[in-house]
Amino acid sequence: SQELEQSPQSLIVQEGKNLTINCTSSKTLYGLYWYKQKYGEGLIFLMMLQKGGEEKSHEKITAKLDEKKQQSSLHITASQPSHAGIYLCGADGTGTASKLTFGTGTRLQVTL
Amino acid sequence: DADVTQTPRNRITKTGKRIMLECSQTKGHDRMYWYRQDPGLGLRLIYYSFDVKDINKGEISDGYSVSRQAQAKFSLSLESAIPNQTALYFCATSDLAGGVDTQYFGPGTRLTVL
């Protein structure tokens, strides 16, 4: 079965700083999804990557999928308190776009 | 109104009780899912349904059952609740449009089994 490892597990950054979260898969990724979760609430879809080398941006958040399609990174530029939450990556490892495997999440705190 | 709703949002119950969590969606999606989230374990799939007549077990289906009453409704039941079923439960929906199966999540139900 596919496993996803996220790093770091938690992160505290000062407002205005940049940060990167990584998601590494044990198998080739057919699709990689990034979600954000506010504490104790539902998951909000951020973006999805399919092709090796693909990069997408949404506001100040950029995600990339490496060429070998086994690792993705999420980069936040000039962090704000609104970026605080838990970031989860989810992977489609079967190519059927049916079931997702999720990482354990990265907890981000943004201090003033 | 939210596209994916879950009821109740919070529930406290006792060991041995049968409990049902409900999920409704207005997105018109065929696919629906139930996950549980535990600290340090991420999200784990309990059951999923690709249409009203198609129900499949996920990785942790023991102790749970589901019912897909209509395209828009998918319920999760705990037959006899036990304390280790205390968790945050999420319903999700998706629609395989253009080969991309993005899942959209409800707000979650926090279940505590005493």
Side-chain angles (χ1 to χ4, degrees):
Chain A
S1 61
Q2 183 167 37
E3 294 184 358
L4 292 178
E5 183 175 337
Q6 284 187 239
S7 63
Q9 290 185 338
S10 65
L11 195 53
I12 302 174
V13 299
Q14 192 174 24
E15 183 178 6
K17 299 294 186 182
N18 302 335
L19 63 108
T20 299
I21 298 169
N22 293 303
C23 176
T24 302
S25 171
S26 59
K27 297 182 179 180
T28 298
L29 296 163
Y30 290 90
L32 190 287
Y33 299 75
W34 282 102
Y35 288 86
K36 178 188 174 186
Q37 181 183 20
K38 290 191 175 181
Y39 303 115
E41 298 182 10
L43 281 68
I44 300 169
F45 171 72
L46 295 176
M47 57 194 87
M48 184 264 185
L49 305 164
Q50 275 187 304
K51 300 175 183 176
E54 186 175 11
E55 179 176 323
K56 288 186 178 178
S57 294
H58 174 67
E59 298 179 343
K60 293 185 177 180
I61 302 176
T62 300
K64 299 179 185 179
L65 182 62
D66 76 352
E67 291 289 343
K68 294 183 178 180
K69 296 174 66 175
Q70 285 199 258
Q71 186 173 47
S72 179
S73 60
L74 185 86
H75 184 78
I76 298 177
T77 303
S79 58
Q80 301 169 356
S82 61
H83 288 129
I86 301 172
Y87 289 83
L88 295 107
C89 61
D92 169 13
T94 64
T96 62
S98 56
K99 298 181 292 180
L100 297 184
T101 300
F102 285 88
T104 55
T106 295
R107 186 178 295 264
L108 171 64
Q109 295 181 53
V110 180
T111 62
L112 298 174
Chain B
D1 290 339
D3 294 321
V4 184
T5 58
Q6 292 184 234
T7 55
R9 292 295 312 278
N10 289 282
R11 180 72 182 265
I12 300 174
T13 191
K14 295 182 179 180
T15 297
K17 294 292 187 181
R18 187 176 190 273
I19 185 168
M20 180 181 289
L21 308 182
E22 298 186 346
C23 176
S24 294
Q25 52 115 348
T26 58
K27 298 184 77 68
H29 288 171
D30 287 327
R31 299 180 170 193
M32 299 186 74
Y33 309 79
W34 275 105
Y35 292 89
R36 64 176 281 176
Q37 185 179 38
D38 299 273
L41 294 177
L43 283 159
R44 292 181 292 166
L45 183 64
I46 306 172
Y47 271 95
Y48 62 103
S49 168
F50 284 173
D51 63 43
V52 175
K53 295 182 180 179
D54 178 69
I55 304 284
N56 303 280
K57 293 183 178 181
E59 61 179 297
I60 54 164
S61 59
D62 286 349
Y64 301 94
S65 63
V66 290
S67 172
R68 185 80 184 267
Q69 300 96 322
Q71 186 203 37
K73 296 183 182 297
F74 194 34
S75 300
L76 176 73
S77 294
L78 283 67
E79 307 297 334
S80 178
I82 55 177
N84 76 359
Q85 290 178 314
T86 293
L88 189 54
Y89 289 85
F90 288 106
C91 173
T93 75
S94 71
D95 187 4
L96 186 58
V100 178
D101 192 26
T102 299
Q103 294 186 22
Y104 296 92
F105 285 77
T109 294
R110 186 170 296 280
L111 177 66
T112 302
V113 183
L114 302 176

